[in-house]
Amino acid sequence: MTTLSHLECSLCQKRFEAGIAHNLCECGGPLLVRYHLDKARENWNREWLGRAPATMWRYAPVLPVSRPEKIVSLGEGYTPLVRTRRLGARLGADQLWVKDEGLNPTGSFKARGLSCAVSMAAELGLTKLAIPSAGNAASAMAAYAAAAGIEAHIFMPRDVPSSNYIECKAFGAKVTLVDGLISDCAKIVNDRKQEEGWFDVSTLKEPYRIEGKKTMGYEVAEQFQWQLPGVIFYPTGGGVGLIGMWKAFEEMETLGWITAKRPKMIAVQVEGCQPVVRAFEQGTPRSEFWQNAHTVASGLRVPKPLGDFLVLNAVRDSGGCAIAVSDEELLDAGIQLAAEEGMFVAPEGAACIAALEKLLASGFLKPDEKIVIYNTGSGLKYLEAYSTRFPRVSGGEQDKLGGLITPR
Ligand SMILES: *Cc1c(COP(=O)(O)O)cnc(C)c1O
Ligand SMILES: [Zn+2]
């Protein structure tokens, strides 16, 4: 089972004991979970994964839950890695894959993080969880909290996709809509949690969501027979998936499962909210709050990621870059991908395809590189965004094939 050792501040390295609930370090740094990887190396063989469950819990020795009966699982992770030849041929990328996280419970990779966080909440005896969310994290938390029989208090922007709102309500969560952004939601949770007795499950303020998300890194290695790809595109909001994968690579190297070679990490953002891209271009270690953040890719509408420095470090150390695309470009890319490959992806995943096109055109990437794009969610969760491209009928399409026909 788990080889959990302790938690460690990512800023000041202060050590925190496992087995009790933690949020941030006093210095404001997010906590990272550490394992006895030496023990794991001796007692766990990657060949055994053949018999492990077909969920992210196949990597249980490097996940934090100590009592397996506390695991709250709805079948998250172990998602397909799809070779997209047609898309690759059109863009000039000879070896292109899409890791399809849209197949997770609640239709996004947030299921990985919340499966882990809610399992730990159950193990630590927490009974009231609160989360500020741009949308999909709320859906995932509501689902796992329902499965665990724990209260979920959700704060999300009032213009969140209706899939997220309806899912949360259906899962029985207490939902409050906020006339603002995720940053405003976070402030409300922070101001009220003490009085209400909520545990704050905000991105990176809660240390175990990142552990769930890091399994995306273990999986891509396993699916490629322990040879990492050359390039990874990741749609970056809070950046937790990217930070998590980077952590997974380090752990796997310590386990002796992979070499020191790392993929170029490409952080993809949108023109309407690109704090990480701006910081990358200006060479600063941290980002600045992005004013008036707006985009249809709601998961990327994070004006000031708490873990910006961790994202920027990983991107820089990997020789990758940060790049933004417009909402027009990402919707075009999403629709083209759907028609070419039969995959209907979230706008966030589509943003990566638009970014790939740019980086091939600029020569930053070469046609023969092995490239993986993370599609973090299903297009079905974003019907409002995509429906702007497909109005049901317009006047001239009455009584025409491909338009609207009235049977006589
Ligand atoms: C939350 C979310 C993101 C951003 O994830 P981070 O790991 O926080 O950067 C990207 N895509 C979708 C669909 C999301 O829900
Ligand atoms: Zn600290």
Side-chain angles (χ1 to χ4, degrees):
M1 265 299 120
T2 185
T3 56
L4 176 65
S5 163
H6 62 280
L7 294 89
E8 182 186 275
C9 174
S10 57
L11 276 179
C12 73
Q13 275 73 50
K14 183 172 174 200
R15 211 183 146 103
F16 294 80
E17 204 185 315
I20 46 172
H22 295 291
N23 286 121
L24 296 176
C25 176
E26 302 89 77
C27 83
L31 305 188
L32 296 175
V33 182
R34 299 298 180 202
Y35 298 87
H36 295 290
L37 292 174
D38 45 341
K39 272 192 213 151
R41 190 178 174 139
E42 275 170 38
N43 302 322
W44 184 34
N45 190 323
R46 70 186 191 198
E47 310 304 326
W48 300 343
L49 288 171
R51 278 176 280 129
T55 69
M56 72 172 200
W57 294 99
R58 62 201 283 99
Y59 310 109
V62 288
L63 290 173
V65 176
S66 331
R67 286 178 283 159
E69 69 276 13
K70 293 293 179 189
I71 291 177
V72 186
S73 176
L74 298 167
E76 53 293 322
Y78 211 53
T79 55
L81 184 60
V82 181
R83 180 93 192 245
T84 48
R85 288 178 202 275
R86 251 197 255 243
L87 173 70
R90 178 168 59 83
L91 299 184
D94 301 339
Q95 302 192 71
L96 180 63
W97 281 262
V98 174
K99 177 92 170 133
D100 194 3
E101 294 291 309
L103 286 138
N104 276 298
T106 67
S108 90
F109 79 121
K110 292 290 196 306
R112 295 180 188 260
L114 273 308
S115 173
C116 194
V118 172
S119 299
M120 286 306 287
E123 179 161 290
L124 297 172
L126 304 170
T127 54
K128 293 181 183 183
L129 307 181
I131 196 168
S133 167
N136 286 321
S139 300
M141 177 152 110
Y144 286 93
I150 291 179
E151 263 180 46
H153 297 265
I154 282 165
F155 294 82
M156 52 191 178
R158 64 181 293 183
D159 57 352
V160 76
S162 54
S163 59
N164 297 125
Y165 176 71
I166 292 168
E167 275 178 298
C168 290
K169 294 295 280 187
F171 289 130
K174 306 254 179 340
V175 182
T176 307
L177 295 177
V178 176
D179 193 6
L181 299 179
I182 186 172
S183 40
D184 302 299
C185 300
K187 200 170 171 306
I188 296 172
V189 170
N190 196 53
D191 291 347
R192 301 198 50 182
K193 62 187 177 190
Q194 190 123 30
E195 185 185 332
E196 303 281 353
W198 299 334
F199 182 74
D200 187 348
V201 189
S202 297
T203 299
L204 288 178
K205 284 189 192 164
E206 189 284 338
Y208 302 109
R209 283 173 65 184
I210 178 172
E211 294 302 291
K213 284 188 171 186
K214 85 177 176 189
T215 58
M216 290 190 293
Y218 278 86
E219 259 173 52
V220 77
E222 186 184 352
Q223 287 172 314
F224 279 133
Q225 283 79 49
W226 313 106
Q227 302 278 326
L228 293 179
V231 187
I232 284 181
F233 278 76
Y234 186 76
T236 303
V240 184
L242 193 151
I243 301 166
M245 284 195 270
W246 197 247
K247 181 173 188 281
F249 299 153
E250 197 181 299
E251 289 174 3
M252 282 190 283
E253 189 185 344
T254 310
L255 289 169
W257 290 11
I258 60 167
T259 66
K261 205 164 159 288
R262 295 286 185 272
K264 293 181 191 126
M265 303 300 280
I266 314 290
V268 178
Q269 297 202 301
V270 282
E271 286 180 358
C273 183
Q274 43 171 321
V276 171
V277 175
R278 176 66 56 84
F280 178 79
E281 284 169 352
Q282 297 185 337
T284 55
R286 299 210 71 148
S287 67
E288 273 176 44
F289 190 95
W290 192 268
Q291 298 296 338
N292 304 316
H294 61 92
T295 170
V296 296
S298 46
L300 305 186
R301 198 166 55 155
V302 181
K304 171 71 176 117
L306 190 61
D308 49 5
F309 63 106
L310 296 169
V311 176
L312 286 158
N313 283 346
V315 167
R316 287 180 177 131
D317 290 352
S318 76
C321 68
I323 179 171
V325 302
S326 70
D327 277 16
E328 286 293 301
E329 288 167 332
L330 67 85
L331 286 174
D332 286 344
I335 291 164
Q336 237 167 351
L337 172 73
E340 263 166 3
E341 298 286 352
M343 297 169 82
F344 187 37
V345 303
E348 293 85 347
C352 292
I353 307 212
L356 169 62
E357 205 164 341
K358 288 182 191 229
L359 293 181
L360 286 165
S362 72
F364 185 85
L365 296 180
K366 303 281 172 286
D368 63 347
E369 288 181 273
K370 193 165 169 177
I371 300 170
V372 173
I373 282 175
Y374 276 78
N375 169 43
T376 42
S378 165
L380 289 174
K381 299 205 74 175
Y382 296 83
L383 296 182
E384 291 103 333
Y386 280 112
S387 65
T388 60
R389 295 307 180 91
F390 305 113
R392 240 358 124 103
V393 242
S394 51
E397 287 174 356
Q398 297 272 354
D399 289 317
K400 268 177 68 181
L401 282 184
L404 175 72
I405 288 182
T406 313
R408 276 175 252 282

